[in-house]
Amino acid sequence: MVGDVPIGGGAPVSVQSMTVTRTADHEATLQQIYDLAMAGADIVRCTCNEIEAAEGLARIVPRSPVPIVADIHHQYRMALAALEAGVHCLRLNPGNIRKPEHIRLVAAEARDRGVPIRIGVNGGSLHPDLYEKHGGRVTPEAMVESAFAEIGYFAEVGFDLIKISVKASSVPIMIEAYRQLAEVTDHPLHLGVTEAGPPPAGLLKSTAGIATLLAEGIGDTIRYSLTADPVEEARAGRQLLEALGLRERKNVDLIACPSCGRAEIDVVAVAEEAMAVFADREIPLQVAIMGCVVNGPGEARDADLGIAAGRRRGHLFVKGQNAAVVDEDEMVDVLVEWAEFIHEHGADAALARVDTDRAAREAERDRRVLLAEQGDDVNDGGARIERIRSRIA
Ligand code: SF4
């Protein structure tokens, strides 16, 4: 348990993130913790790098909406101070706190308070001896060995409230390290690709590593380490779990067609506008934005709600059934309005408000006009095929 959040033992996979404010500035840090919790973080970590940070934690912990982990590097005294501040968990980096007597002291204090510790091995800060032993490079074996050395010190004082991470900035090394770790321990594992960098590359690297392991049944809690607003990290973690079916959806799942020669609107711009408007609203529906009424409603028939463009109008559909016709400029506003109504009252109640036959007739009319204007082959595939054939004939 990290506070009231269970980790491992079949508990749902949880999402973590980390504040970037000075922990000593407890008001700013609390504000960020609330933002992270709203975006999907179940647990938040704050650095505890100075005595003022520990004092900040003493004010933050009682007011935080989620459990707080104190991040400790180098100074074991900061771990003791964070425990005194009442944090729900410590993260220790074995590469940075090296004296066995200091490690044992912290573990004994955590044991007495029933506070768990994450052994946070980081490829970039491996103990120099391990680095040398493993050929002067970061290897999965070296990271696993580092974690076990720390577990050994903890065992000496009878402490085993442990979770472990073995993060590397290399996705293949990180994946292999966690696989090896999962083979030899039952302790809960905290997954992450460290220093993944800014989005979109950082998102891709993190997702590649974390999702691969989760799909193999490895991992109990996750963190995206992005060079970005930490709210992005929390949101990404939540969205990954939702996409993998490991967390019940809380927010809109926005789907959109990739656009093509048939598109009657700028699909990218409208989808981005909708993403911004829906943001973190708690509406667990799948909402589709489709570029044309010729194919859109059919392709997105399984969405809870969607809109497809046609001749400067938006054709709104609910579970594949045409529902309304709106001005192109109002498409996003109307989607939000319908999404809120459906979420509250259900699709049947939403459809009962409108003339679905009329909406279907209008959609069919626009569809026919567009087909007549553009033909069946608006993307010019058939004509290109003809040209290929004539060239090689
Ligand atoms: S055919 Fe219509 S719905 Fe499909 S990609 Fe093109 S614009 Fe989008």
Side-chain angles (χ1 to χ4, degrees):
M1 300 296 295
V2 174
D4 59 358
V5 177
I7 313 267
V13 178
S14 51
V15 173
Q16 307 206 17
S17 184
M18 190 168 175
T19 51
V20 296
T21 48
R22 275 193 69 217
T23 310
D25 184 349
H26 60 271
E27 289 299 343
T29 303
L30 262 172
Q31 180 59 56
Q32 194 162 68
I33 292 168
Y34 269 91
D35 291 345
L36 295 174
M38 282 293 290
D42 303 298
I43 296 168
V44 172
R45 181 159 45 117
C46 305
T47 188
C48 185
N49 57 338
E50 53 187 359
I51 198 67
E52 292 81 2
E55 290 171 12
L57 286 170
R59 297 187 195 283
I60 290 165
V61 170
R63 292 167 62 195
S64 171
V66 291
I68 297 295
V69 182
D71 198 46
I72 311 294
H73 291 268
H74 302 289
Q75 305 175 66
Y76 77 100
R77 287 181 191 281
M78 287 303 116
L80 300 177
L83 287 171
E84 200 57 62
V87 296
H88 304 98
C89 180
L90 296 176
R91 179 270 169 125
L92 299 187
N93 181 337
N96 288 343
I97 298 180
R98 297 178 190 158
K99 289 195 174 160
E101 61 270 29
H102 292 167
I103 299 168
R104 285 192 290 260
L105 190 62
V106 172
E109 180 85 15
R111 176 202 61 205
D112 293 347
R113 294 172 182 268
V115 173
I117 296 178
R118 169 160 67 96
I119 299 173
V121 178
N122 208 325
S125 54
L126 265 183
H127 192 293
D129 293 350
L130 277 173
Y131 195 73
E132 286 308 312
K133 180 180 167 188
H134 289 270
R137 58 200 175 90
V138 176
T139 64
E141 292 76 12
M143 290 199 289
V144 172
E145 191 173 334
S146 174
F148 269 82
E150 195 84 345
I151 291 173
Y153 295 131
F154 288 179
E156 288 176 33
V157 293
F159 178 77
D160 70 347
L161 290 175
I162 299 166
K163 60 196 172 91
I164 311 173
S165 62
V166 280
K167 299 185 185 180
S169 52
S170 155
V171 175
I173 289 177
M174 164 266 188
I175 289 174
E176 183 54 26
Y178 278 104
R179 282 178 179 156
Q180 290 186 11
L181 197 56
E183 285 285 316
V184 292
T185 183
D186 285 332
H187 287 301
L189 302 185
H190 164 125
L191 305 183
V193 175
T194 193
E195 295 129 20
L203 280 169
L204 287 168
K205 280 192 266 181
S206 299
T207 304
I210 296 170
T212 299
L213 290 161
L214 288 177
E216 294 176 11
I218 297 172
D220 303 284
T221 182
I222 66 171
R223 184 211 170 181
Y224 275 68
S225 301
L226 300 177
T227 312
D229 185 329
V231 166
E232 292 281 310
E233 297 185 353
R235 188 177 292 138
R238 166 179 55 78
Q239 288 178 340
L240 177 68
L241 296 185
E242 289 176 352
L244 289 171
L246 294 172
R247 172 174 289 204
E248 204 173 313
R249 182 168 293 289
K250 246 174 53 182
N251 307 87
V252 162
D253 176 20
L254 192 84
I255 62 170
C257 79
S259 189
C260 73
R262 281 202 188 280
E264 290 281 297
I265 49 167
D266 181 344
V267 180
V268 176
V270 175
E272 279 179 358
E273 186 189 342
M275 282 284 277
V277 175
F278 280 115
D280 294 326
R281 287 187 199 212
E282 297 197 0
I283 303 176
L285 299 178
Q286 189 176 64
V287 177
I289 292 177
M290 307 302 280
C292 75
V293 73
V294 175
N295 292 328
E299 288 176 11
R301 76 170 68 84
D302 290 336
D304 294 298
L305 169 69
I307 203 152
R311 301 176 69 226
R312 311 213 57 75
R313 309 196 289 180
H315 295 276
L316 190 100
F317 51 93
V318 175
K319 291 279 183 197
Q321 186 171 356
N322 286 95
V325 186
V326 302
D327 283 350
E328 191 177 285
D329 297 345
E330 296 173 359
M331 284 170 59
V332 172
D333 290 344
V334 170
L335 266 182
V336 173
E337 195 185 297
W338 275 71
E340 284 175 343
F341 190 92
I342 291 172
H343 178 44
E344 202 168 324
H345 305 286
D348 290 343
L351 287 169
R353 304 180 301 170
V354 292
D355 183 346
T356 52
D357 289 342
R358 183 176 160 274
R361 280 196 304 275
E362 293 291 323
E364 184 57 22
R365 201 170 72 182
D366 281 356
R367 186 171 173 277
R368 284 179 190 280
V369 172
L370 288 173
L371 273 172
E373 284 175 4
Q374 301 170 338
D376 290 343
D377 189 23
V378 70
N379 294 313
D380 215 18
R384 283 172 192 273
I385 289 166
E386 284 307 317
R387 286 202 294 278
I388 291 167
R389 286 179 180 165
S390 67
R391 287 193 75 160
I392 60 167

